[in-house]
Amino acid sequence: MRRRAFLASALTAASALTAGCSSLSPRTEHTDPAVETDDNPRDRAKYLQFDGDRDDGDLATVGVDPTTGPLPRPLAVSISHSRDTELRSLTQRFAAPDGDGSPPKLSLRGPFEAGHSPHPAVSLFRDETAAVVEVHRFGELADETAFIDLAVTEWPESARRLVVDSTAELVEAGAFERTHVLDGELAFEFFAEADDGTADTPGSSG
């Protein structure tokens, strides 16, 4: 699988949803992924592992890594997938369910690394309960592992949980094009800094 960093910025984010196109290709829904954690015990990264019905191993992996700090500040998202598939779209909802009811506020960090078109098309917005990131088109990155860097610019003060719901679409080439819809959820728990600057012990993650 080829890999290239996908670093999106607000300057390149699309403001409108790209119209969906109808397709007669068969669709397979994957809604029960395994949840894996990072091998490093100090790393909070978690991954949705979609195996599907393939004989050659994994279909796709969607990862979220709240990289530093007692609360989520940078968020690193990754999507890897099998060589014979292409990324079509991604929707992620970031919610803080134990907070004051307001969603976190996110921003996209950095320019696209790639210098060729078509570029990915991205929208970023908030609804009543979540910050939403939508990638409507992956462009030249569709057949590679994609990386998105997000910054949490506002976090609900009392919240200590982050829930990320991800829905991705892959297209599998072949005699007949086949679409895979991947749906899963990751949950993280965080801890507050004590008054002396140390950090309380985090609880168990959901």
Side-chain angles (χ1 to χ4, degrees):
M1 213 177 300
R2 292 177 294 154
R3 304 175 70 89
R4 182 185 301 168
F6 168 25
L7 304 174
S9 74
L11 294 177
T12 54
S15 59
L17 178 67
T18 301
C21 57
S22 60
S23 174
L24 297 178
S25 65
R27 294 170 65 87
T28 303
E29 306 233 352
H30 306 265
T31 58
D32 189 25
V35 176
E36 304 289 343
T37 57
D38 199 279
D39 293 336
N40 184 348
R42 298 178 60 86
D43 198 324
R44 295 176 178 168
K46 293 184 180 182
Y47 304 89
L48 298 171
Q49 186 68 60
F50 296 91
D51 292 331
D53 55 1
R54 305 170 61 84
D55 296 328
D56 56 350
D58 302 336
L59 174 62
T61 300
V62 179
V64 176
D65 184 5
T67 51
T68 59
L71 294 175
R73 294 303 179 192
L75 292 169
V77 174
S78 62
I79 315 168
S80 61
H81 52 104
S82 60
R83 188 180 298 274
D84 59 344
T85 62
E86 291 190 353
L87 291 166
R88 172 168 286 172
S89 67
L90 171 71
T91 299
Q92 289 188 301
R93 296 176 56 84
F94 297 81
D98 64 336
D100 59 7
S102 63
K105 185 176 182 180
L106 305 181
S107 66
L108 297 163
R109 305 175 67 192
F112 287 114
E113 179 193 65
H116 305 287
S117 60
H119 291 301
V122 184
S123 293
L124 180 63
F125 58 92
R126 289 195 295 176
D127 61 21
E128 294 181 357
T129 60
V132 184
V133 177
E134 291 186 346
V135 183
H136 320 299
R137 182 187 69 243
F138 280 90
E140 63 171 335
L141 301 176
D143 62 348
E144 304 180 9
T145 295
F147 297 87
I148 309 172
D149 282 346
L150 302 168
V152 181
T153 57
E154 290 183 17
W155 178 255
E157 183 176 351
S158 60
R160 292 295 179 267
R161 297 188 71 238
L162 171 67
V163 175
V164 184
D165 183 80
S166 299
T167 301
E169 285 195 4
L170 301 177
V171 177
E172 182 179 356
F176 297 97
E177 184 179 278
R178 180 181 179 186
T179 299
H180 296 271
V181 181
L182 318 177
D183 193 7
E185 180 182 282
L186 293 172
F188 303 85
E189 288 192 7
F190 301 91
F191 51 96
E193 288 184 328
D195 293 339
D196 61 1
T198 61
D200 295 337
T201 303
S204 60
S205 296

